[in-house]
Amino acid sequence: MVALGAAAVAAPLLLAGAPAGIAAGPPAKPGGHSRPWEAYNLSPTSRTLAPATVYGTAGEVTDPGAVLRGRPTRLSGAGARLTLDFGKDVTGLVTLRFAGSDGPQRVGLAFSESSEYIATTTDASTGGPRSRDGALYADVDGRTTYTTPAKHLRGGFRYLTIFMESAGRVDLTGVSVHFTAAPAMKNPAAYANYFYSSDTLLNRIWYAGAYTVQLNTIDPRTGRIWEAPAEAWDNSGLVGVGDTILVDGAKRDRTVWPGDLGIEVPAAYAAFNDTVSARNALTTIYQHQRDTGELPYAGPMLNKYGSDTYHLWTLAATWDYYLYTGDRRWLDGVWEDYRQAVDFSTAKLSERGLLSITGTSDSVRILAKGENLIANVLLWRVLDTGSRLAQTMGDTTLARSYADRAAALRTAVNTHMWDETAGAYRFYPDSAIHPQDGNSLAVWYGLADQNRARRISKDLTGNWNEVAATAPENKGNPGVFSGSMEVNAHFAAGGTAGDQAGVDIIRRQWGYMLDHPNGTRSTFWESFRNPGDGCVFCSSYVSLAHAWATGPTPALTFYVLGLRPTGTGGRTYDFVPHTADLTFAEGRITTTRGPVEASWRIDRARGTYTARLTAPRGTGGRVGVPVLGARTKVFVDGRLVWDGTRGKAYHAHTDGEYVYLEGVPSGRHTITARR
């Protein structure tokens, strides 16, 4: 028995002998495994999960570890408690099995994502006035099996505390969880895609991001009820259409938030080729469009409005979904809604040609009304990609109109919001703040030209502290949602400095979240505080498996590996690695025509580069080969295609950083280069 000091029932337990957490580093690799990346996969192969370890006990607990082996662990007397650690964040319905009791007894269950909030009351998820969600209770009378009611499904937890509410004793012989995330996946560990590189930490981060998104992929009938219940919690709310949907968080809000989709849709595609959950989330938002054209700030059951930025995030995510799928039938169904939503935003253009927001709700703050940077970048993105959507719909007049308005808006942003001295865009035209979110998005989405993009990338690194990239627009707190944007921005800016900044901030910030002893060691967080603030999360309401924190997963696939779709449905793609300080990477994306697999390896000392590419029939790619020196020679399948100064095939050309090969056909190819 591991004894604990007395503590108030509602206070966090101070668990004697508790481990600091899972050891840093990847799980052990299976011997001789031909797919070494699988060692980093955190998703279960079975829907039935068991706890990994005993975290600690309080009161009279006999043989605490026995329950892990299917043998009796006895809890005796009111206040006796056993905290079990599942080793990672999990989600679902808990089943407890009891071999017996000394008469009718009452046993409590409390849940926590973080060890910081372990207690006999559950961390907060309801959004009501209570700081904790309370506990569930099982009535035990002899041999008993208890399963949490469906509405009390717990969306995200690592720790389960089982405690005696009554004064007698019970013999607990089994604890399991029915894993409910990603309901459309028969085997949650069977990813459509993968990523593997020379950097163990980056591999762990890619898979932790994927797992975070998986926990945020739910049956839409298991969303959060709103308004908050008077006690406990209720996850039986209908939050969208279909059988699987992307929501913002596992623990909470379990609701479609369009801003989160800006990160989550690319992440779900990069890891799982899951576009159905994205489609259902977008369809849900469009179904709740107002007659004015305004789209929701949050979907059901929250049903919030009043955000010009989140309105635009839905339109931006519409392009992402169509890019990955080429789903013309779906686009036909939402096209008039999309056009009306664009008109809703363009009606707010000021005399200077900038979007002047009036719906001020946003991700981590209420924005001031006026010409806000991120709103303008989002509108530019919508007009730019909307032009391509209109062309797809056969409306060439509208396509030209959107393209012209995108060009005019870019000019207005560069004229009125660019700060030449700082090398970054201002938060508002007269602001002294240069925000992380808007600047990152301007680079990632391509509003900023290459010169501005690289200056912004450099400026952003000036906001880093020892653990994170911070957001000047959010009081200098670590940027998590905006940090996901920044990661992608550094790679989009490119060059040696941009690519290195991208991998450096992933290692620093996401490595910090992944290995922090108070975290889940498996998922990424909604928010956290800077060192010196006195707390990491500062509230048990903070979600520790949150979709908007998963930006590194698509960034590592699309940029570091270098595979990303460029034509709708994946008919065309780029294979342009951003190697930074890595020596190799390999992975896969899946298109509507099949998987595209690629790998690269670079030896900078010897000046050699080797890549392999396999693409399905009906696809074509643009390949970028890193320039190794002034006279880099490039070969495809042994044939010289670039002799160091001019192209021999594939319309080969260079920008000084890459040699680009256009229209590389389907099939298997080996690309080599040497200086």
Side-chain angles (χ1 to χ4, degrees):
M1 179 176 70
V2 181
L4 298 183
V9 169
L13 300 181
L14 302 175
L15 299 175
I22 299 173
K29 296 181 181 180
H33 206 303
S34 62
R35 297 161 58 90
W37 51 86
E38 292 290 359
Y40 301 94
N41 191 326
L42 293 160
S43 300
T45 57
S46 168
R47 290 280 174 182
T48 301
L49 309 182
T53 62
V54 173
Y55 186 81
T57 68
E60 188 174 345
V61 179
T62 304
D63 203 356
V67 68
L68 302 179
R69 304 185 298 275
R71 300 178 62 187
T73 290
R74 176 167 289 182
L75 287 78
S76 304
R81 48 195 134 159
L82 168 73
T83 296
L84 300 172
D85 180 0
F86 283 81
K88 60 186 176 183
D89 223 35
V90 296
T91 180
L93 300 170
V94 172
T95 294
L96 304 182
R97 294 176 179 83
F98 297 90
S101 65
D102 62 342
Q105 302 297 334
R106 187 168 169 84
V107 175
L109 297 82
F111 303 80
S112 176
E113 286 193 294
S114 171
S115 59
E116 186 174 345
Y117 299 113
I118 292 172
T120 54
T121 54
T122 298
D123 57 10
S125 73
T126 65
R130 292 175 280 114
S131 62
R132 292 295 188 104
D133 283 357
L136 302 179
Y137 292 95
D139 292 319
V140 180
D141 191 0
R143 185 177 297 275
T144 303
T145 298
Y146 166 86
T147 298
T148 52
K151 73 176 184 178
H152 292 322
L153 178 153
R154 194 66 191 174
F157 65 97
R158 176 175 166 177
Y159 303 97
L160 171 62
T161 296
I162 301 165
F163 62 95
M164 291 297 296
E165 177 75 0
S166 56
R169 66 175 185 268
V170 297
D171 289 334
L172 179 68
T173 57
V175 179
S176 62
V177 172
H178 174 65
F179 186 77
T180 56
M185 294 182 71
K186 184 176 180 180
N187 175 1
Y191 291 13
N193 302 320
Y194 70 95
F195 173 85
Y196 182 57
S197 76
S198 57
D199 189 301
T200 294
L201 180 57
L202 295 182
N203 299 338
R204 294 175 60 219
I205 288 168
W206 191 93
Y207 280 94
Y211 186 59
T212 302
V213 170
Q214 187 171 74
L215 293 182
N216 286 238
T217 306
I218 70 169
D219 183 324
R221 293 160 291 198
T222 63
R224 184 175 77 169
I225 287 286
W226 188 258
E227 300 282 338
E231 60 182 9
W233 60 92
D234 189 338
N235 283 326
S236 64
L238 181 62
V239 296
V241 303
D243 296 320
T244 178
I245 199 167
L246 297 177
V247 295
D248 63 321
K251 181 178 77 171
R252 54 142 282 265
D253 298 325
R254 299 179 68 82
T255 300
V256 180
W257 285 86
D260 299 65
L261 297 180
I263 304 299
E264 191 174 19
V265 171
Y269 170 75
F272 308 109
N273 188 35
D274 179 9
T275 55
V276 174
S277 301
R279 182 192 67 207
N280 290 338
L282 289 166
T283 298
T284 297
I285 296 298
Y286 278 115
Q287 286 183 349
H288 289 79
Q289 185 176 33
R290 286 178 164 170
D291 291 343
T292 60
E294 182 184 7
L295 293 164
Y297 175 40
M301 299 185 71
L302 292 177
N303 294 314
K304 293 178 179 288
Y305 293 84
S307 172
D308 281 324
T309 52
Y310 273 47
H311 169 95
L312 289 164
W313 276 115
T314 295
L315 302 181
T318 297
W319 166 254
D320 289 336
Y321 171 74
Y322 186 70
L323 173 65
Y324 303 148
T325 65
D327 187 349
R328 175 63 186 271
R329 181 177 179 182
W330 180 83
L331 185 61
D332 286 345
V334 302
W335 183 241
E336 289 306 314
D337 301 328
Y338 180 96
R339 290 184 57 179
Q340 189 181 11
V342 174
D343 291 344
F344 176 84
S345 292
T346 56
K348 297 186 179 186
L349 290 174
S350 69
E351 292 182 357
R352 294 196 283 197
L354 294 169
L355 171 58
S356 183
I357 65 170
T358 57
T360 57
S361 295
D362 194 56
S363 56
V364 293
R365 63 209 183 276
I366 300 298
L367 296 167
K369 292 182 179 180
E371 296 161 328
N372 172 269
L373 176 60
I374 193 170
N376 278 276
V377 176
L378 282 166
L379 179 56
W380 176 84
R381 173 70 166 179
V382 168
L383 291 170
D384 181 61
T385 57
S387 175
R388 285 175 268 179
L389 292 175
Q391 195 70 46
T392 296
M393 295 297 295
D395 193 336
T396 56
T397 300
L398 184 62
R400 284 194 299 270
S401 174
Y402 281 175
D404 289 345
R405 282 186 272 177
L409 182 57
R410 185 205 296 262
T411 298
V413 170
N414 286 335
T415 300
H416 300 293
M417 306 192 81
W418 178 252
D419 184 339
E420 178 62 23
T421 301
Y425 291 105
R426 300 182 181 91
F427 196 22
Y428 291 81
D430 298 324
S431 174
I433 295 172
H434 304 94
Q436 180 187 34
D437 57 6
N439 276 287
S440 297
L441 214 59
V443 177
W444 181 19
Y445 281 170
L447 181 145
D449 62 25
Q450 186 182 78
N451 176 61
R452 285 191 173 96
R454 293 188 174 178
R455 294 185 67 190
I456 290 169
S457 175
K458 181 179 179 180
D459 179 75
L460 288 168
T461 64
N463 296 323
W464 295 2
N465 63 26
E466 63 268 39
V467 300
T470 65
E473 71 275 23
N474 185 28
K475 302 178 182 178
N477 286 312
V480 181
F481 181 27
S482 53
S484 284
M485 302 175 209
E486 179 175 333
V487 165
N488 285 274
H490 287 303
F491 293 119
T496 301
D499 292 347
Q500 194 59 48
V503 295
D504 285 347
I505 196 56
I506 292 174
R507 290 166 177 150
R508 182 180 303 200
Q509 180 164 333
W510 278 264
Y512 174 80
M513 286 190 276
L514 186 55
D515 285 331
H516 196 285
N518 291 350
T520 69
R521 297 293 181 100
S522 57
T523 55
F524 296 125
W525 312 337
E526 176 186 18
S527 63
F528 62 101
R529 298 298 183 91
N530 286 314
D533 282 359
C535 54
V536 181
F537 310 118
C538 301
S539 168
S540 74
Y541 189 62
V542 172
S543 166
L544 301 192
H546 215 73
W548 71 17
T550 60
T553 295
L556 290 168
T557 292
F558 295 165
Y559 293 108
V560 172
L561 172 61
L563 275 182
R564 64 186 181 97
T566 56
T568 56
R571 289 173 298 173
T572 59
Y573 59 88
D574 273 1
F575 175 36
V576 183
H578 292 239
T579 60
D581 58 5
L582 279 70
T583 59
F584 73 83
E586 64 178 294
R588 176 170 60 214
I589 61 171
T590 302
T591 74
T592 57
R593 297 173 184 262
V596 180
E597 295 199 61
S599 66
W600 59 261
R601 183 175 294 271
I602 191 167
D603 187 327
R604 295 173 183 85
R606 295 184 178 183
T608 61
Y609 172 86
T610 301
R612 289 181 171 82
L613 174 66
T614 303
R617 181 176 297 178
T619 63
R622 183 182 75 137
V623 173
V625 179
V627 168
L628 303 169
R631 300 285 295 181
T632 299
K633 292 180 173 61
V634 179
F635 303 80
V636 176
D637 301 324
R639 176 189 176 193
L640 181 67
V641 297
W642 176 259
D643 69 3
T645 58
R646 55 199 177 97
K648 302 289 187 178
Y650 300 115
H651 304 286
H653 60 283
T654 186
D655 63 1
E657 295 177 354
Y658 292 92
V659 173
Y660 294 98
L661 312 176
E662 307 289 345
V664 176
S666 59
R668 298 188 177 194
H669 302 285
T670 299
I671 302 106
T672 58
R674 65 172 185 262
R675 62 172 180 246

